[in-house]
Every structure is written in structure tokens, then in C-alpha cells.
């Protein structure tokens, strides 16, 4: 087996294990390349179906094309879409783009807080109704106990220490120093009431592997990743105020792969375009301990 | 059938480049011997670090007024940097000309042994680092010993910090001598011993002038020299059933048995057998999404299959091929285990065993020897196993499990033990133990010895109540209305003046869907059901109860626990058990009144309700 087949087989195995063990299971879909590969792997795991609902936390500062792309795929692949957002913070303009908070505070509120409350069912969820094509607001949903996330170990230091199945306590806290053992593909699938588990099927993948797989499988991705004539493209997607495009003339998947393999990005970390990582030296570990994905 | 539509999409392109393989390597050894430094240096010297990363870490060290450490490239957690120690295994990525590597930097401190094991269990090969100045230490040996248990067959030893001993060949040779002797006792033969200085880059990616006396391979060269285990495909076929899917969306009517092929290969048309149930069928198709239709599949692939006949297979069974050596099945096995739990491993306590896809309750039956993995000294006569100890013991499961012996097929010959929600230990199976009696049978014998019988005999009770006592067990698929039927039967018999009782313990407690049994508690509830049934039948009552989807073993267990009372089985719809015929088979409940009449006829034919008049 080549390296992509090995990675694929392991991720499929993890997804099936999650599906077998958790009744209240959800997959986070950020619309970016990683979680879209994850969604594709779910279709691999379940033979073309997508039996696990997808959750997208909308900060309302996403690049608009992302939302269009999300809803197109959701309709085409009949995805069970759930959208969550921090309406209170958005309405009172307690955000970084509105000038009322730092980048880290903004992330904590629009992403981590919204995610936590949408997962627990405390806040409303917007569900895609496939008969009308519209989102419907729902309250009082059940809490999800298994959350599948597209984190990769090569993204940043604390992610390199993650388990495939990672336990979180009631406060979503992650005790990095005392993670459960995981061996021989036996994962932590037993958990005390009130705790939940994050599942990371993409830990072993690098950014380059993701693009190689997108190429091999012909996975549709949003063209924000490609240069559309202005000599810039997004390398990772997020909120527009905090994610800057990079200078690049890669116009398609092949050219991105070339660029990552031997071209200008061969040795430049993916997250270097994200501003919130720079605010304090350990920004991401701090955020992750508190539930950031 | 629309199901095939789902397979199409745009069939994957073959990719534009030459295929490369992937290998996971773990770096192990005693605390502070320089593991993280080896990895950091390897990444730095091969140009595998992101641009600016080295400069950034150096600047950070300068700001905090501490010397730069290559280890900080790996020890990313705040606590790790503050204490200068690795706490948890880190994955990092690195490519050589021939291969993609995932390097797992494991911690050396004994406190984090579980993290070392989590990292090492993912690896195919290991680099073990020994400090030249400190020499072979406790965890140099413990980690070396555990390699074999974790299934790692290739190891190379880096003798590090040669700079601290003046690059002295004598120091190196002495460590080679001492550690080779240790490894020999564990049955491991190292691929190489490499004298290095990780901090200064000696013999890491090129041979160093400081050690003219060494002309072996470098660390980098050693990694590329590790080989992939190719023989997995050539072994007998094993695929643990991970799940059984029937997605009805978009008209898909495939019933797919999903899992990863651990060893061997399988092709369409071949006959397969499932263990421990022993059921068999033929492969009708191999299922994968978005690939051209395949006729066979090999070890390593996560696939699905459909079968020619609709047999009842549950997750956790082990699929093998008929005509090849099958796995062993049984309730007792001998294993070498390592224990990581906060609480000791005890006899008479119920644990959960996860073995390939199976999850079963298990008990520690006996401890044969306990080993200090660092000193290789053994002890017998121990009552419990403490954290970080290695031991040879015998385990007993309630139900038969299918397994292989670890030396034959590692993937299906090992298991983990769960104690209070956590993986607390791992073991490799070395022997099967043949037994004539099961735990339940022994228990029933003991119970009848200890039971204080009253002065009233069973025939006296039968005469008083005008009936022979029995447990009437109604089983079959979940959701067929068994409970309603059972209650109606009770009402009817009660109206006819029978001493009858409906026990509604089963459904809610057993869980409606029998395949999803998170905590492995189904067996425990069934065991209780059997014990309760025994009380009722001993008291002369006709007990009516239900349980979904009983298999052979469960049925046998219930009947045995109910002894000396009789068990009468009514099955609704398809059945999972084969070893006995039901006393009454109902294909479809249809009219409940008719079914009740049939049950009463059967009970009276079998003399449980003797004077019942038709
Ligand atoms: N002089 C010298 N010091 C070294 C060398 N390699 C590592 N060290 C030092 O040894 C100390 C421990 O190194 P680490 O790489 O953190 O050790 P480790 O084995 O990863 O430690 P744990 O992960 O905590 O078990 C650091 O101060 C290193 O700088 C070497 O080749 N020469
Ligand atoms: Mg270390």
C-alpha cells in the first residue's frame, strides 16, 4: 500500500469505530480542505453515505463563498447539516472585527463558546431541511458525546500530542499531561457520564497528504484555495479579518502540490497566515485546552 | 438497484507521482538520554523544519534566558518546556528519498509510561537512545523489553552524548556489550548500534570525523534500512467485523460487513467463516466507495463485503476463510500483560476486554509470574498486579472469544483491558487453555452445593400448583412485540388460575438493539436474569420473560443458571442461535391470541400445564 492508502485505511477505521461506539456523534465541518477530506473519508467509510451529522460553527465573518460551497455540497450529498452561532456576541458586536475584543477573545467567543453551547444543545441549532433547501431553527437538541474533528498533528505543537480519541471533561477541558493510553487501534470508547470524546481521524496526515488525496480522489474544494488571476490564494480558510491570502500563482490542485512539495511553501508552515496564533506564544495550546478545535 | 450509483462519483485518478510507502518509527529510552534531541536534530539537519522554526525557538530561548535545546522543537507543551522533559509522545513528519516517516518521540520518565506505550504501539520500528555517560538505565531496559510485547520487531540503538566521554570507543563498546546481552534475553536482535552526539550532529545524517573509528551507518541511513513487514498478506485471512451496515438511504439495499483486513487476502466467491459463531457464507462482493469494482482485497485495507446468504453476523466476530487455519475460540487464555492502571489488577473483579473487534467481560483467573521488566527478575505467588508491572496470567471470559496466538498473528492475538472507563493494560496471548467447564457451570455447581433446600420438594409444589415450573423465554429480533405478547400470556394464564409471573427486566436493561452494547453489560444482565429465573422456577412458578436476539451461548448460559429449573424457548422471526431448536417457532406474531393458544398447546404437550383442556 502506498502512503495515501495507509492513511485512508486508518482514518476509515477510526471513523467506523466512532460510529459504532457513539450514538450522539457529530462531525465538525469548517468547510476547509481538511474537514472536507474528512467528510469524503466518511463517505468512504460508509460506502457513499454520510450517516453522521455535520456541524458548522458560523462566525458570520467567513468568506461568503465558503457558505455557498457548504450549502451546495450539503444538498448534493444529502448531508445532515447543523449550523450553530453565537448570536448574542454578534448582535452586541462583541467581536474583533467590530473593534470590541482581541483576536483571541473573538475566537473564544464566536468559535469555542458557540461550539460548546451548540454541541451541548443549550443554544439553538439551525438544521438544513432538504425538502425546502432552507435552514430551520431548532431548540432543545440532545448533547453530542462524540465529536469528530479534522485536526492534523503537523499543524502545531500541542496537536502533535493528540490521541485519535481524546477525552474531554464537562468543561471541555483537555488534560494534556494525563491522556488515556491508546494502543493497537483500541481507543478510549468508554467514558463516564458528562464527559465526551473528540475523535481525530486526520492526525497522521500532513498538509501535503491532504492535497495529494484531494487530487487522487477528485474531491471538490472551494476555489478560494486557487489563484484566480490576482496572484493570491488562501492556504487555510477562516474568518476574513484574521486569515490573509498568501501570494501564490497555484491555479489548481496539481500546482498546489508542486508548491508544497518543492516550491515556495515547501518549508513554510500552514498556519503562518493566521493572526490569532501570534498574540501570545502559547496561544493555540491555551485555546485548545479550553475547547478550541 | 440504486446502490451502485453510490459507488460511482468520479473514479479516483491514480495520482501523478511514484508511489511511496509510509513508516512509523518510535524513539525510546531512559529519561534525559536525548531522544527529543535526536528527533529535533534529525528534523533540523534534513531540512524538514518549517522555515523560521529553528530561529523562532532560538529567539524564544534567548528571551527566557535559557540555553537553546533541540528538544524544544518537539516538547511543545508549556509544562514540557518549563520542566525540560517530554510528557507525551509527539508525532512529527519527515520524508527521506524513499519514504514518508511519522516519527514518534516518546517520553522516558516512568511516570509517563502509558504515553510511551501509546506512541510505541503505533510504530513498526524503534530507535532506542542510551546516554554514553549514564550508561544503560532502568527504562533503557524496560522500554527494550516492552518492544517485543508491543509487536515491534526492528530496533536500532543510538549510544548518545559521545561528546561527553571524549568520543571514546571503549565507552561505546562497553554499552554495546552490556545492552546486547540484555536484548538477547528478550529475544530481540538490534539492527545496529550507532555512536552519536545528537546535540552536535555526529553520525546523525553523515559520518563524523570525531569518531573515525566508526564506519557503520548513520541514524538516517538506519531509518531507511528498516523494512516494511510484507508477510502480512501471505498469512491466513483475518478480518475482524467492525460493524454491519444497512443504509437504506437512496435505495441502497446492500447489507455490508465492514472491517479492516488484518492479514491475508480475500476474493469474491470464496467461502468465509465467522468465529466464534461458526456461521459461514460466500463473499458476493467487495465494497469500497469511489473505486473501480474489485475482485479481491488485501491486508491493511479497510473494506466491506456483502455475502451470498443473509446470515446473522454481529460486530466483534472474526472472519476467516474456510480451508485455512481458523482462529481459536474459547473462554480461557494465557497472556503476557503490562499494567498501566492507577489501581492494581485484581482477581474476582470484572474488567472489559477489547480484542480485535470484540468487547467482552473478563476476569483475571490466576497470576502465574510477575516480571520486573527492567531487571528481568520474576516473582510468583502474587495476588495482584501493580502499575507498570509485567505479568503472565490466565484470563477467563464469560462468553467464548475468537483469537489467535500473538506469535502467529499479532493483530488478532492481543487485547487491552478496560478498568473503570480507561484502558488500563494490554496483553499478548501466548496460549489457549482448554477447559471442560465454564465459569457459569462451576458457579451453578457451587450454588447447588451451598443452597439450603427447604422441606418442600419440587413435586409437592407441582402438585399444589397443578403445573410444572419453567422459565418461558420469548426471544427473537428487537421490536417484534415480545413484551406485549409476554404480558398477554401472563394475563391469560393468570385468568386460568396458574401461578405465573411476568418478569419485565429484560428489554430496557438489555438495550433494545443488541449489537450496541457499550459497556459489555448485556452478559451481566443476562446473568442476573438467569439467577432470578432460578428463584422463580425453584418456587414452582411459571416465569415468563423476554430477551432480544439471544445467541447460542447466551441461551445456554440462561438455561444453565435456571437449573435445575426447565427453560422453554419461544422464538419469534429469524434466530441467532443454532445449537438447539426452539420449543416453539413463530414466524410472525400476526394475531396475538393465536400465538398465545400455540404457546399454551406447547406448554401442555410438554406437561408444564398438564390438565390444560383444549
Ligand atoms: N552533551 C550532550 N548533551 C545532549 C546530547 N543529546 C541531548 N543532550 C542533552 O540532554 C538533555 C536531555 O535531552 P532530551 O532530548 O530532552 O532528552 P529526552 O530523552 O528526550 O528526555 P525525556 O523525553 O524527558 O525522557 C538536554 O539538555 C540535551 O541538550 C548530546 O549528544 N550531547
Ligand atoms: Mg524527550
Amino acid at each position: 500500500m502506498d502512503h495515501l492508502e495507509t492513511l485512508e485505511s486508518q482514518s476509515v477505521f477510526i471513523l467506523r469505530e466512532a460510529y459504532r461506539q457513539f450514538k450522539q456523534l457529530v462531525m465538525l465541518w469548517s468547510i476547509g480542505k481538511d474537514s472536507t477530506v474528512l467528510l469524503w473519508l466518511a463517505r468512504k467509510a460508509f460506502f457513499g453515505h454520510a450517516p453522521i451529522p455535520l456541524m458548522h460553527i458560523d462566525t458570520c465573518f467567513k468568506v461568503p463563498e465558503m457558505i455557498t460551497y457548504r450549502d451546495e455540497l450539503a444538498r448534493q450529498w444529502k448531508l445532515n447539516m447543523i449550523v450553530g452561532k453565537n448570536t448574542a456576541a454578534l448582535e452586541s458586536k462583541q467581536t474583533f472585527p467590530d473593534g470590541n475584543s482581541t483576536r483571541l477573545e473573538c475566537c473564544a467567543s464566536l468559535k469555542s463558546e458557540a461550539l460548546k453551547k451548540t454541541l451541548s444543545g443549550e443554544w439553538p441549532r439551525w438544521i438544513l431541511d432538504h425538502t425546502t433547501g432552507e435552514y430551520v431553527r431548532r431548540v432543545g437538541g440532545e448533547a453530542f458525546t462524540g465529536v469528530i474533528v479534522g485536526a492534523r498533528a503537523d499543524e502545531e505543537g500541542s496537536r502533535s500530542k493528540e490521541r485519535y480519541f481524546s477525552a474531554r471533561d464537562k468543561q471541555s477541558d483537555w488534560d494534556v499531561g494525563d491522556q488515556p493510553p491508546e494502543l493497537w487501534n483500541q481507543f478510549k470508547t468508554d467514558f463516564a457520564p458528562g464527559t465526551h470524546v473528540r475523535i481525530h481521524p486526520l492526525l497522521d496526515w500532513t498538509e501535503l497528504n491532504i492535497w495529494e488525496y484531494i487530487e487522487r480522489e477528485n474531491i471538490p474544494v472551494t476555489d478560494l484555495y486557487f489563484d484566480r488571476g490576482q496572484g493570491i490564494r488562501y492556504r487555510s480558510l477562516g474568518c476574513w479579518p484574521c486569515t490573509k491570502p498568501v501570494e501564490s500563482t497555484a491555479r489548481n490542485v496539481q500546482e498546489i502540490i508542486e508548491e508544497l512539495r518543492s516550491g515556495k511553501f515547501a518549508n513554510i508552515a500552514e498556519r503562518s497566515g493566521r493572526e490569532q496564533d501570534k498574540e501570545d506564544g502559547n496561544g493555540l495550546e491555551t485555546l485548545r485546552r479550553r475547547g478550541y478545535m | 438497484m440504486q446502490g451502485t450509483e453510490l459507488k460511482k462519483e468520479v473514479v479516483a485518478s491514480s495520482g501523478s507521482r511514484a508511489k511511496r510507502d509510509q513508516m512509523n518509527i518510535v524513539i525510546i529510552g531512559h529519561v534525559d538520554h536525548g531522544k527529543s534531541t535526536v528527533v529535533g536534530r534529525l528534523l533540523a539537519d534534513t531540512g524538514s523544519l518549517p522555515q523560521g522554526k529553528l530561529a523562532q525557538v532560538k529567539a524564544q530561548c534567548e528571551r527566557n534566558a535559557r540555553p537553546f535545546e533541540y528538544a524544544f522543537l518537539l516538547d511543545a507543551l508549556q509544562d514540557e518546556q518549563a520542566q525540560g522533559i517530554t510528557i507525551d509522545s509527539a508525532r512529527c513528519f519527515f520524508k527521506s528519498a524513499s519514504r514518508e516517516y511519522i516519527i514518534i518521540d516518546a517520553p522516558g520518565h516512568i511516570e509517563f509510561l502509558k504515553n510511551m506505550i501509546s506512541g510505541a504501539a503505533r510504530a513498526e520500528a524503534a530507535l532506542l537512545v542510551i546516554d554514553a555517560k549514564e550508561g544503560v538505565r532502568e527504562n533503557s531496559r524496560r522500554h527494550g523489553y516492552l518492544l517485543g510485547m508491543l509487536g515491534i520487531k526492528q530496533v536500532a540503538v543510538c549510544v548518545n552524548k559521545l561528546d561527553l566521554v571524549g568520543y571514546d570507543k571503549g565507552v561505546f563498546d562497553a554499552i554495546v556489550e552490556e545492552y546486547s546481552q540484555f536484548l538477547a534475553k528478550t529475544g530481540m536482535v538490534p539492527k545496529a548500534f550507532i555512536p552519536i552526539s545528537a546535540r552536535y550532529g555526529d553520525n546523525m545524517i553523515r559520518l563524523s570525523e570525531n569518531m573515525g573509528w566508526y564506519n557503520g551507518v548513520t541514524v538516517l541511513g538506519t531509518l531507511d534500512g528498516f523494512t516494511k513487514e510484507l508477510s502480512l498478506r501471505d498469512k491466513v485471512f483475518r478480518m475482524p467485523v467492525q460493524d454491519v451496515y444497512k443504509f437504506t438511504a437512496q435505495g441502497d439495499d446492500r447489507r455490508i460487513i465492514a472491517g479492516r483486513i488484518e492479514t491475508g487476502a480475500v476474493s469474491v466467491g470464496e467461502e468465509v467463516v465467522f468465529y466464534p459463531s461458526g456461521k459461514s457464507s460466500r463473499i458476493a462482493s467487495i465494497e469500497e466507495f469511489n473505486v473501480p469494482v474489485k475482485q479481491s482485497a488485501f491486508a491493511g485495507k479497510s473494506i466491506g463485503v456483502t455475502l451470498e446468504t443473509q446470515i446473522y453476523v454481529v460486530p466483534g466476530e472474526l472472519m476467516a476463510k474456510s480451508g485455512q487455519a481458523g482462529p481459536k475460540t474459547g473462554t480461557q487464555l494465557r497472556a503476557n500483560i503490562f499494567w498501566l492502571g492507577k489501581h492494581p489488577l485484581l482477581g474476582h473483579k470484572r474488567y472489559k476486554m477489547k480484542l480485535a473487534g470484540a468487547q467482552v467481560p473478563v476476569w483475571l483467573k490466576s497470576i502465574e509470574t510477575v516480571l520486573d521488566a527492567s531487571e528481568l527478575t520474576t516473582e510468583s505467588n502474587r495476588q495482584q498486579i501493580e502499575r507498570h508491572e509485567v505479568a503472565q496470567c490466565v484470563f477467563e471470559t464469560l462468553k467464548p472469544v475468537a483469537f489467535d496466538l500473538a506469535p502467529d498473528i499479532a493483530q488478532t492475538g492481543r487485547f487491552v483491558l478496560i478498568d473503570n472507563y480507561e484502558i488500563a493494560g494490554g496483553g499478548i496471548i501466548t496460549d489457549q487453555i482448554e477447559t471442560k467447564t465454564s465459569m457459569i457451570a462451576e458457579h451453578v455447581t457451587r450454588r447447588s452445593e451451598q443452597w439450603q433446600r427447604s422441606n418442600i420438594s419440587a413435586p409437592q409444589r407441582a402438585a399444589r400448583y397443578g403445573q410444572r415450573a419453567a422459565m418461558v423465554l420469548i426471544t427473537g429480533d428487537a421490536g417484534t412485540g415480545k413484551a406485549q405478547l409476554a404480558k398477554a400470556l401472563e394475563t391469560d394464564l393468570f385468568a386460568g388460575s396458574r401461578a405465573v409471573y411476568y418478569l419485565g427486566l429484560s428489554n430496557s436493561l438489555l438495550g433494545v438493539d443488541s449489537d450496541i452494547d457499550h459497556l459489555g453489560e448485556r452478559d451481566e444482565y443476562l446473568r442476573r436474569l438467569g439467577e432470578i429465573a432460578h428463584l422463580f422456577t425453584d418456587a414452582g412458578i411459571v416465569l415468563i420473560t423476554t430477551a432480544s436476539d439471544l445467541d447460542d451461548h447466551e441461551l445456554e448460559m440462561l438455561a444453565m443458571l435456571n437449573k435445575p429449573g426447565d427453560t422453554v424457548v419461544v422464538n419469534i422471526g429469524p434466530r441467532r442461535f443454532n445449537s438447539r431448536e426452539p420449543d416453539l417457532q413463530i414466524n410472525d406474531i400476526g394475531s396475538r391470541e393465536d400465538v398465545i393458544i400455540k404457546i399454551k398447546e406447547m406448554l401442555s404437550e410438554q406437561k408444564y400445564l398438564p390438565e390444560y383442556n383444549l
Side-chain angles (χ1 to χ4, degrees):
Chain A
M1 294 209 300
D2 69 15
H3 69 288
L4 290 181
E5 288 176 297
T6 307
L7 290 168
E8 176 191 75
S9 175
Q10 178 71 354
S11 301
V12 162
F13 181 84
I14 292 168
L15 285 166
R16 288 179 182 162
E17 202 62 10
Y19 185 62
R20 174 180 171 192
Q21 302 283 353
F22 294 93
K23 278 206 176 131
Q24 292 299 321
L25 184 65
V26 72
M27 183 185 263
L28 299 190
W29 186 24
S30 72
I31 324 300
K33 60 188 185 314
D34 303 318
S35 52
T36 304
V37 162
L38 192 57
L39 169 56
W40 186 266
L41 286 164
R43 299 179 79 214
K44 283 265 176 188
F46 307 114
F47 306 95
H49 300 273
I52 303 172
L54 293 166
M55 183 179 285
H56 178 228
I57 298 303
D58 194 350
T59 60
C60 299
F61 290 107
K62 299 285 174 194
V63 186
E65 283 103 314
M66 288 169 68
I67 305 299
T68 320
Y69 162 84
R70 174 191 80 190
D71 291 340
E72 265 171 26
L73 273 199
R75 288 192 193 102
Q76 194 186 331
W77 291 351
K78 300 269 181 298
L79 305 176
N80 180 353
M81 267 310 295
I82 303 170
V83 172
K85 51 193 160 205
N86 188 342
T87 39
L90 288 166
E91 275 162 20
S92 61
K93 302 211 178 301
Q94 283 302 314
T95 71
F96 169 74
D98 289 310
N100 296 325
S101 75
T102 66
R103 291 182 202 271
L104 277 177
E105 286 163 359
C106 186
C107 264
S109 131
L110 295 192
K111 290 191 196 162
S112 310
E113 172 89 351
L115 174 65
K116 198 152 124 180
K117 298 287 169 56
T118 311
L119 283 176
S120 70
E122 285 164 83
W123 285 3
R125 295 171 181 163
W126 284 262
I127 312 240
L128 180 59
D129 178 342
H130 282 283
T131 54
T132 63
E134 299 297 320
Y135 283 88
V136 195
R137 185 175 182 275
R138 291 269 164 72
V139 288
E142 261 193 87
F144 290 104
T145 49
V147 185
I148 305 175
V149 191
R152 305 192 325 259
D154 75 329
E155 286 178 280
E156 127 325 307
S158 66
R159 289 189 187 188
S160 74
K161 310 257 168 183
E162 275 283 10
R163 299 281 193 268
Y164 293 125
F165 282 57
S166 170
R168 306 292 156 118
D169 68 11
K170 287 197 184 73
Q171 281 68 48
S172 290
D173 280 348
W174 181 41
D175 188 349
V176 248
D178 189 24
Q179 300 192 69
E182 184 169 272
L183 55 144
W184 301 328
N185 282 318
Q186 299 290 1
F187 312 119
K188 179 172 169 69
T189 50
D190 301 278
F191 57 108
T195 56
H196 69 272
V197 170
R198 290 213 178 145
I199 299 138
H200 303 117
L202 294 184
L203 272 193
D204 296 336
W205 296 60
T206 63
E207 184 189 9
L208 177 58
N209 298 150
I210 293 284
W211 283 110
E212 289 170 329
Y213 191 67
I214 289 173
E215 177 190 42
R216 192 189 91 175
E217 292 288 319
N218 238 315
I219 303 173
V221 290
T222 144
D223 56 10
L224 291 167
Y225 284 115
F226 309 125
D227 170 30
R228 290 170 294 177
Q230 279 123 344
I232 51 167
R233 67 178 194 87
Y234 283 93
R235 192 169 167 196
S236 86
L237 295 181
C239 302
W240 58 260
C242 290
T243 318
K244 295 275 164 285
V246 291
E247 279 180 28
S248 155
T249 53
R251 283 161 307 164
N252 53 43
V253 179
Q254 286 73 22
E255 290 179 11
I256 291 180
I257 291 176
E258 227 29 74
E259 198 176 60
L260 286 171
R261 206 187 290 262
S262 49
K264 60 180 294 197
F265 290 140
N267 276 317
I268 297 181
E270 178 186 346
R271 291 186 71 94
S272 53
R274 298 229 193 168
E275 295 294 328
Q276 73 268 41
D277 293 7
K278 296 179 185 158
E279 279 186 1
D280 89 49
N282 290 307
L284 216 57
E285 184 184 338
T286 314
L287 277 176
R288 285 178 63 69
R289 278 181 189 261
R290 301 207 196 110
Y292 180 77
M293 300 283 177
Chain B
M1 178 185 96
Q2 252 192 330
T4 48
E5 289 287 284
L6 289 160
K7 284 195 246 176
K8 274 192 219 136
E9 232 35 67
V10 192
V11 168
S13 66
S14 59
S16 49
R17 277 149 207 101
K19 297 201 168 196
R20 300 149 61 79
D21 63 13
Q22 188 214 44
M23 186 180 271
N24 293 2
I25 309 270
V26 68
I27 319 292
I28 53 173
H30 197 74
V31 64
D32 267 351
H33 281 196
K35 298 176 290 298
S36 302
T37 308
V38 167
V39 182
R41 186 82 211 200
L42 199 60
L43 295 180
D45 289 1
T46 53
S48 310
L49 291 170
Q51 210 172 58
K53 176 87 186 178
L54 202 58
Q56 181 206 326
V57 174
K58 282 185 171 157
Q60 205 177 328
C61 290
E62 210 152 289
R63 260 202 317 278
N64 302 334
R66 45 190 315 191
F68 165 75
E69 290 281 359
Y70 279 100
F72 290 163
L73 292 164
L74 284 303
D75 294 339
L77 304 177
Q78 292 160 38
D79 292 346
E80 292 180 323
Q81 299 204 351
Q83 298 169 30
I85 195 172
T86 305
I87 292 175
D88 208 338
S89 296
R91 283 177 174 80
C92 56
F93 300 84
F94 142 84
K95 291 194 278 287
S96 73
S98 55
R99 171 182 286 162
E100 311 244 329
Y101 287 102
I102 298 182
I103 307 276
I104 302 156
D105 177 35
H109 196 286
I110 184 75
E111 189 59 30
F112 309 122
L113 188 68
K114 69 177 164 60
N115 297 340
M116 174 269 175
I117 284 177
S118 301
R122 284 198 292 271
E124 290 150 85
L127 279 185
L128 192 139
V129 179
I130 300 176
D131 184 324
K133 195 155 179 227
E134 283 205 6
V136 177
R137 298 292 298 272
E138 182 187 332
N139 286 309
S140 320
R141 290 187 292 260
R142 179 176 280 115
H143 287 186
Y145 179 85
L146 285 172
L147 287 178
M149 290 189 77
L150 292 170
I152 300 174
K153 299 201 177 82
Q154 310 176 72
V155 62
V157 181
C158 300
V159 180
N160 188 27
K161 307 194 193 180
L162 261 283
D163 59 295
L164 294 182
V165 295
Y167 296 106
D168 183 1
K169 180 168 187 297
V171 175
F172 173 70
D173 287 342
I175 291 177
V176 172
E177 174 74 20
E178 178 183 352
Y179 201 68
S180 303
Q181 281 182 13
F182 173 83
L183 276 187
K185 285 187 227 159
T186 73
M188 237 15 207
V189 181
K191 285 225 146 184
F193 280 90
I194 317 162
I196 62 167
S197 165
R199 183 186 272 174
Y200 301 105
D202 296 294
N203 292 339
M204 292 294 298
I205 66 166
R206 67 184 70 84
L207 289 180
S208 161
E209 284 161 15
N210 292 325
M211 288 173 269
W213 47 266
Y214 177 76
N215 50 21
V217 261
T218 59
V219 173
L220 184 62
T222 306
L223 294 186
D224 276 341
F226 286 133
T227 49
K228 295 292 283 186
E229 192 182 355
L230 292 173
S231 59
L232 287 181
R233 270 187 195 198
D234 302 328
K235 296 191 171 182
V236 293
F237 172 70
R238 294 287 185 266
M239 183 177 116
V241 177
Q242 195 175 6
D243 217 337
V244 180
Y245 300 130
K246 173 109 204 214
F247 298 111
T248 45
Q250 295 157 64
D252 189 354
D253 59 8
R254 293 171 294 173
R255 185 163 178 276
I256 303 176
I257 306 213
R260 172 155 62 191
I261 304 179
E262 294 294 354
T263 52
V266 71
S267 301
V268 170
E270 288 186 306
E271 182 166 302
V272 288
V273 188
F274 295 84
Y275 292 89
S277 75
K279 295 192 178 152
S280 65
S281 184
R282 264 174 212 289
I283 304 283
S285 68
I286 290 178
E287 300 289 334
E288 263 186 284
F289 169 67
N290 201 37
V291 295
V293 175
K294 286 191 183 150
Q295 293 304 310
S296 30
F298 304 95
K301 280 285 208 179
S302 291
I303 57 152
V305 299
T306 62
L307 300 176
E308 283 183 3
T309 47
Q310 296 303 315
I311 57 171
Y312 196 115
V313 176
V314 291
E317 290 200 72
L318 187 53
M319 180 160 81
K321 264 192 328 209
S322 74
Q324 286 186 340
K328 307 192 180 313
T329 59
T331 55
Q332 282 194 27
L333 50 90
R334 178 174 289 116
N336 276 336
I337 65 138
F338 50 85
W339 189 247
L340 304 169
K342 294 191 176 107
H343 308 287
L345 173 65
L346 306 169
H348 307 294
K349 181 173 168 188
R350 175 173 191 261
Y351 295 93
K352 177 159 113 180
M353 175 187 267
K354 290 213 236 175
L355 194 169
Q359 309 187 9
V360 290
V362 69
W363 283 261
L364 171 64
K365 196 169 165 69
S366 65
I367 300 175
E368 296 180 340
T369 50
V370 176
L371 176 88
D372 179 322
S374 160
E375 301 302 327
L376 299 189
T377 50
T378 56
E379 266 181 78
S380 38
N381 293 324
R382 280 278 292 273
Q383 298 309 308
Q384 56 184 50
I385 299 167
E386 309 291 339
R387 187 167 181 223
H388 298 155
E389 283 181 338
V390 169
Q392 178 178 303
C393 358
V394 175
F395 288 93
E396 176 157 32
T397 57
L398 198 58
K399 263 185 159 182
V401 278
F403 58 88
D404 287 288
L405 302 187
D408 303 336
I409 304 184
Q411 287 74 6
T412 45
R414 58 198 180 192
F415 58 85
V416 296
L417 296 170
I418 314 289
D419 182 15
N420 192 28
Y421 309 115
E422 301 290 352
I423 292 179
I428 56 172
I429 304 172
T430 54
D431 277 305
Q432 176 180 27
I433 297 175
E434 303 280 354
T435 46
K436 297 223 169 46
T437 63
S438 66
M439 267 169 98
I440 297 291
E442 281 173 25
H443 164 76
V444 170
T445 312
R446 237 187 353 262
R447 185 182 69 188
S448 71
E449 283 161 14
Q450 290 167 0
W451 202 268
Q452 301 269 337
R453 295 285 158 193
S454 68
N455 298 330
I456 297 149
S457 68
Q460 281 174 296
R461 285 183 214 276
R464 163 68 57 86
Y465 300 133
Q467 63 185 29
R468 280 205 301 139
M471 162 163 69
V472 179
L473 182 57
I474 305 179
T475 183
D477 273 353
T480 42
K482 293 186 294 294
Q484 294 309 318
L485 175 67
K487 283 186 217 171
L489 178 63
E490 183 199 27
T491 310
D492 185 290
L493 293 179
F494 189 78
S497 301
R498 300 295 179 183
V500 59
Y501 185 77
Y502 164 67
L503 180 61
L505 173 72
S506 28
N507 272 345
S508 63
L509 293 178
L510 294 176
V512 179
D513 31 5
S514 62
D515 335 339
I516 305 171
D517 176 22
H518 288 290
L519 301 173
E521 277 177 349
R522 180 177 160 93
D523 299 294
E524 179 56 18
Y525 285 120
L526 288 175
R527 195 189 59 73
R528 282 182 211 166
L529 180 61
E531 290 286 358
I532 296 171
H534 166 246
L535 292 178
F536 277 92
T537 51
D538 206 50
I541 310 290
V542 170
L543 179 75
I544 304 168
T545 190
T546 68
S548 298
D549 286 332
L550 291 174
D551 67 16
D552 282 324
H553 178 79
E554 291 168 342
L555 204 53
E556 191 190 330
M557 173 171 90
L558 282 172
M560 198 178 284
L561 284 167
N562 184 36
K563 279 197 168 127
D566 284 0
T567 300
V568 177
V569 179
V570 177
N571 186 68
I572 318 276
R575 65 181 153 104
R576 235 175 112 184
F577 56 92
N578 290 325
S579 60
R580 70 182 264 181
E581 287 294 314
D583 296 274
L584 181 64
Q585 168 68 31
I586 307 285
N587 292 329
D588 185 359
I589 286 191
S591 146
R592 202 180 292 146
E593 288 70 34
D594 291 350
V595 175
I596 288 176
I597 290 173
K598 283 194 188 133
I599 296 177
K600 290 202 294 189
E601 278 172 2
M602 178 268 291
L603 289 174
S604 93
E605 260 166 41
Q606 300 202 10
K607 308 274 189 298
Y608 291 102
L609 306 177
E611 79 275 44
Y612 176 73
N613 295 315
L614 286 176

